[in-house]
Amino acid sequence: MIKKNRGLKFTLLFFRFYQMSMLGIPVILSEVSKEFPSCSLSLIQLIATLPDIFIMIFSLCAGLLFVKVTKKKIMLASCLIFILSGCIGALFPASYLNLVLCSVLLGSAIGLLIPSVIGVINDCFKGQEKTKMIGNQNMAVSVGAIICTLFFGIVSSRYSWNLCYLFYAAALFVLVLILLFVPSEQKKDKQKKNININRKLVTFYSVLTLLFFSVYNAIPVNFSIYMNQLGITDTVLISIGSCLLLVGSTFSGWIFYHVYQRLYKTTILLGLLCLMLGLLVLAFSNNVILIFSGLVIAGMSLSFVMAASTNQILAKERSEAAELSVAVMMAASDGGGFLSNLYPLITGVFFPTFSIKQVYIVCFFLLLLLIPVVLIGNSNE
């Protein structure tokens, strides 16, 4: 039983490596643009942004499918879609339509992955062990994103950009682990019919994570331009900075259990403060060391906010509606990724001359307005 439990933990954390694996795609966009010179920049960028749309759609679909389909089957379906995406991208002749199809499949696979893994954690772990797993799986997400980004960078520079898609085909190993270690739910889980979620609870955390992730995502989306505006064009330094944001998230995921035990839902406020401090450092620094420090601090916010919000829903929502509620929240957070594109436009309204530093200042003040809302929301729960 102990070995089975360890195998389950390893499987869930290993699978979570793939949640932010779409971050590898921007690394190869310059090579893709050379391969398809007739495609506009917006069409090339679509390859990297399209997965977010399907993550939202399939996160909600997975939450609804829990009524009739076991989470193990949904995880297996996710693995198969990952493998298909990897095979098409790496082994089929390079074409723009194939890359678009890969992005659609990738977003669908990630959308099925997120709520199903959290659902299995909710079913198989209780109390402190569940809290630890929620923190660890957020850490695993960041580690996976770092590994994927480095893999795409190394393979594209030494071999060929299309071979980077083999990273997704490697989900075959996860599929085997799922077959071995993930249990199937009891029959009573399939007999659930009407699931009524706590709308007040879900709305609060969905709006919170949507706004939070829109600000958080504004950092990596604008980071290369930010560095160029500072006169730093070294792609190695820019890549290191992007990874440091994830290093911060990895660290906060590692210590999450101990922080959450002491601060409980106030952990969300700590995460927002980390992001605000990081934004201030980025907005007023020209020194690379300070900038990198700000990225680590800002990155810590991700695990604190997302893991604490997930724990709060799992703890307060009715058991039959918990997974669907988390799926709704996760879909909302991915929707926040699209809102991050609006901040440069909003910045232009307030500042006559545009710079990414000003975008980060606008994001800081948005979080400043969000903090009292979080305080009021926490007190009313």
Side-chain angles (χ1 to χ4, degrees):
M1 180 63 71
I2 294 177
K3 289 184 178 179
K4 190 80 172 180
N5 196 40
R6 288 177 180 173
L8 175 61
K9 288 181 179 179
F10 177 78
T11 301
L12 296 177
L13 295 178
F14 191 14
F15 198 19
R16 289 290 274 188
F17 276 19
Y18 281 86
Q19 179 176 325
M20 292 181 71
S21 57
M22 69 281 192
L23 292 181
I25 295 178
V27 176
I28 62 172
L29 288 186
S30 60
E31 297 298 320
V32 173
S33 64
K34 295 175 185 176
E35 184 79 19
F36 307 106
S38 60
C39 292
S40 66
L41 179 61
S42 59
L43 286 177
I44 296 297
Q45 290 179 335
L46 181 66
I47 298 169
T49 58
L50 194 58
D52 283 319
I53 299 174
F54 289 88
I55 291 172
M56 288 189 294
I57 295 172
F58 279 82
S59 288
L60 294 174
C61 289
L64 296 172
L65 284 172
F66 289 158
V67 179
K68 297 181 178 180
V69 183
T70 65
K71 300 177 186 73
K72 181 174 183 175
K73 290 181 179 179
I74 294 176
M75 291 175 69
L76 290 172
S78 175
C79 277
L80 289 172
I81 298 173
F82 270 122
I83 295 168
L84 181 59
S85 173
C87 290
I88 291 175
L91 305 179
F92 281 50
S95 74
Y96 180 77
L97 289 179
N98 277 347
L99 293 181
V100 169
L101 177 58
C102 287
S103 294
V104 171
L105 292 172
L106 180 58
S108 305
I110 295 172
L112 294 177
L113 178 160
I114 298 171
S116 59
V117 170
I118 293 176
V120 172
I121 291 174
N122 188 45
D123 289 342
C124 299
F125 302 95
K126 305 298 177 186
Q128 295 181 353
E129 196 173 23
K130 181 190 293 186
T131 303
K132 288 181 180 179
M133 278 298 295
I134 294 294
N136 289 338
Q137 55 97 28
N138 275 273
M139 177 177 66
V141 169
S142 300
V143 172
I146 294 172
I147 292 172
C148 181
T149 301
L150 293 175
F151 179 86
F152 269 64
I154 293 170
V155 173
S156 62
S157 63
R158 294 189 177 182
Y159 302 101
S160 173
W161 63 265
N162 62 307
L163 291 179
C164 294
Y165 281 87
L166 289 175
F167 185 88
Y168 305 121
L172 175 63
F173 297 106
V174 186
L175 186 144
V176 174
L177 291 174
I178 292 171
L179 289 171
L180 291 174
F181 295 110
V182 177
S184 298
E185 296 94 325
Q186 297 176 355
K187 292 182 179 180
K188 63 180 181 180
D189 289 331
K190 297 182 181 181
Q191 295 172 350
K192 299 171 187 173
K193 294 182 179 180
N194 297 319
I195 298 178
N196 296 315
I197 65 175
N198 184 332
R199 293 184 180 179
K200 181 180 177 181
L201 178 74
V202 175
T203 298
F204 173 72
Y205 285 106
S206 295
V207 173
L208 168 64
T209 54
L210 182 146
L211 293 175
F212 161 76
F213 199 75
S214 71
V215 172
Y216 177 88
N217 197 53
I219 295 178
V221 165
N222 296 289
F223 184 65
S224 62
I225 302 174
Y226 164 79
M227 294 289 275
N228 288 334
Q229 288 179 349
L230 292 176
I232 301 171
T233 57
D234 189 336
T235 55
V236 174
L237 279 178
I238 294 173
S239 299
I240 291 173
S242 299
C243 287
L244 284 176
L245 194 68
L246 297 165
V247 168
S249 177
T250 303
F251 175 72
S252 59
W254 180 48
I255 65 172
F256 172 77
Y257 171 74
H258 303 286
V259 174
Y260 189 74
Q261 288 294 104
R262 290 166 175 77
L263 299 182
Y264 193 47
K265 58 189 175 185
T266 311
T267 306
I268 295 172
L269 185 60
L270 174 62
L272 295 179
L273 292 174
C274 286
L275 185 53
M276 290 174 66
L277 179 58
L279 286 167
L280 280 180
V281 173
L282 293 174
F284 295 101
S285 296
N286 294 313
N287 181 279
V288 172
I289 295 176
L290 286 177
I291 290 170
F292 282 3
S293 299
L295 289 167
V296 174
I297 295 170
M300 290 174 62
S301 65
L302 184 62
S303 289
F304 283 150
V305 173
M306 296 306 298
S309 298
T310 301
N311 263 304
Q312 286 296 299
I313 289 182
L314 293 178
K316 296 178 180 180
E317 181 62 280
R318 291 180 294 274
S319 59
E320 68 272 11
E323 287 89 3
L324 177 57
S325 297
V326 170
V328 172
M329 184 196 76
M330 290 296 182
S333 69
D334 280 298
F338 288 103
L339 291 181
S340 62
N341 295 322
L342 298 177
Y343 293 128
L345 298 176
I346 297 173
T347 301
V349 175
F350 295 100
F351 294 93
T353 57
F354 176 81
S355 74
I356 301 302
K357 283 192 172 188
Q358 293 164 350
V359 174
Y360 292 155
I361 291 173
V362 168
C363 290
F364 170 85
F365 280 104
L366 175 64
L367 291 178
L368 192 62
L369 295 174
L370 184 59
I371 284 181
V373 176
V374 172
L375 291 172
I376 294 170
N378 284 342
S379 63
N380 289 336
E381 288 182 19

